[in-house]
Amino acid sequence: IFTFAFIFLSAGVIAFVLPPIYKSECKILIEGQQIPQDYVKTTITTYVEERLEMIRQQMLGRTKLLTIMDQYALYSDMRGRYPIESILDKMRDSINLETISAAMIDKKTGKPSTATIAFTLSFEGDSPDAVQKVTNALASLFLEEDLKTREKLASTTTDFLEQEAEKFKEQVQTLETRISDFKAGHLGELPQSNLVNLQGLERFERELDRNESRIRSLQEKHVYLKGQLALVDPLKPIMTEEGKVAGN
């Protein structure tokens, strides 16, 4: 009983003696790209956790934290008594970032998985008004850093795509030139010339049929004349149209 009473009283004294600590927290939703990936692939290729940590490190830089510290008069009781780096480390320890995950189904594999859909950003301090303002400032700073990162990645991707477009344009021009040269060297041999070739073939077949018919007719006439010639007496004089005998 004495031990329990001592612990209970000690805890009560500490609770009343220690200054209150306030915590302000905001939740930020992570939105994916609005354009379907079937049309445009996302330019953000890193994992969400990696990007959050990268932005967190940028946000916790010395310059940005000193600006917030001066703007809201944080840790005024510690200044002059402790090195500025120690105060910055305390402020960094008071900033917390936690991710929020949700269960989902992978569209490609159909297997269940988890994905980071949001994160909470919080700050702890001894002044409720300052804590709330600092949390809002940190959230705004985080969103600004995220926007800068996205703009940088998008700009880099745009430059890369423009270069690739120029390469493809040159390749297309080269291919078009080769196609034109090939067509010029193979007139009448290409698939689009099939209809013209078929029409020409039909015309040649009709001309061939007419020529073969003429040949047969001439052959028959030749046979007929040869037969008539065989009936002619070689000693009989040949008369002209004027009724005269033709000379040798």
Side-chain angles (χ1 to χ4, degrees):
I1 296 174
F2 176 77
T3 303
F4 175 78
F6 176 77
I7 295 175
F8 182 78
L9 291 175
S10 299
V13 171
I14 293 174
F16 282 104
V17 172
L18 290 180
I21 301 298
Y22 300 94
K23 179 180 180 180
S24 178
E25 182 180 275
C26 70
K27 184 180 296 183
I28 300 177
L29 178 65
I30 299 175
E31 294 184 353
Q33 67 176 22
Q34 301 301 319
I35 303 176
Q37 292 190 4
D38 294 338
Y39 298 102
V40 178
K41 297 297 181 182
T42 177
T43 59
I44 309 302
T45 57
T46 56
Y47 291 104
V48 174
E49 291 78 5
E50 295 179 2
R51 294 187 57 248
L52 291 178
E53 181 60 26
M54 179 178 63
I55 297 174
R56 179 177 178 273
Q57 295 299 326
Q58 295 173 351
M59 183 180 63
L60 297 182
R62 175 188 175 92
T63 303
K64 292 182 173 61
L65 291 184
L66 282 176
T67 301
I68 296 176
M69 190 183 301
D70 294 337
Q71 182 177 358
Y72 298 103
L74 300 177
Y75 308 107
S76 57
D77 57 335
M78 297 179 61
R79 296 193 183 187
R81 295 192 301 161
Y82 298 94
I84 191 64
E85 293 299 330
S86 298
I87 300 176
L88 290 175
D89 289 339
K90 180 175 176 58
M91 185 175 181
R92 292 189 182 99
D93 293 337
S94 300
I95 300 173
N96 186 33
L97 188 148
E98 295 181 356
T99 59
I100 301 174
S101 301
M104 60 174 294
I105 302 298
D106 194 315
K107 295 181 179 179
K108 295 183 179 180
T109 62
K111 298 180 179 179
S113 61
T114 58
T116 302
I117 61 172
F119 64 93
T120 58
L121 182 64
S122 62
F123 178 73
E124 295 180 354
D126 54 4
S127 173
D129 183 61
V131 167
Q132 183 182 14
K133 292 180 180 179
V134 170
T135 303
N136 291 334
L138 291 174
S140 300
L141 183 61
F142 189 94
L143 296 177
E144 290 176 3
E145 292 295 333
D146 180 67
L147 180 60
K148 291 179 181 178
T149 302
R150 286 178 175 269
E151 288 178 349
K152 184 177 180 180
L153 291 173
S155 177
T156 302
T157 304
T158 300
D159 294 339
F160 172 76
L161 293 177
E162 288 178 352
Q163 295 176 2
E164 291 297 311
E166 289 296 329
K167 292 180 182 179
F168 288 136
K169 185 177 180 180
E170 294 177 359
Q171 293 178 2
V172 169
Q173 291 177 349
T174 302
L175 292 176
E176 288 179 348
T177 302
R178 292 177 59 184
I179 292 173
S180 299
D181 296 339
F182 182 83
K183 288 182 178 180
H186 298 79
L187 291 176
E189 301 178 7
L190 301 177
Q192 55 265 34
S193 302
N194 286 342
L195 181 60
V196 177
N197 293 338
L198 290 174
Q199 293 176 349
L201 180 61
E202 292 177 355
R203 184 174 63 256
F204 291 147
E205 289 178 349
R206 290 194 298 269
E207 186 68 22
L208 179 62
D209 291 339
R210 287 195 295 269
N211 292 334
E212 289 178 350
S213 178
R214 292 176 182 176
I215 291 173
R216 288 193 300 269
S217 177
L218 292 175
Q219 288 176 346
E220 292 175 356
K221 188 174 183 180
H222 176 264
V223 173
Y224 172 76
L225 293 176
K226 189 175 181 180
Q228 293 294 324
L229 183 61
L231 298 176
V232 175
D233 186 0
L235 301 178
K236 183 179 179 179
I238 300 174
M239 304 298 294
T240 63
E241 292 180 356
E242 289 81 4
K244 298 180 181 181
V245 178
N248 295 329

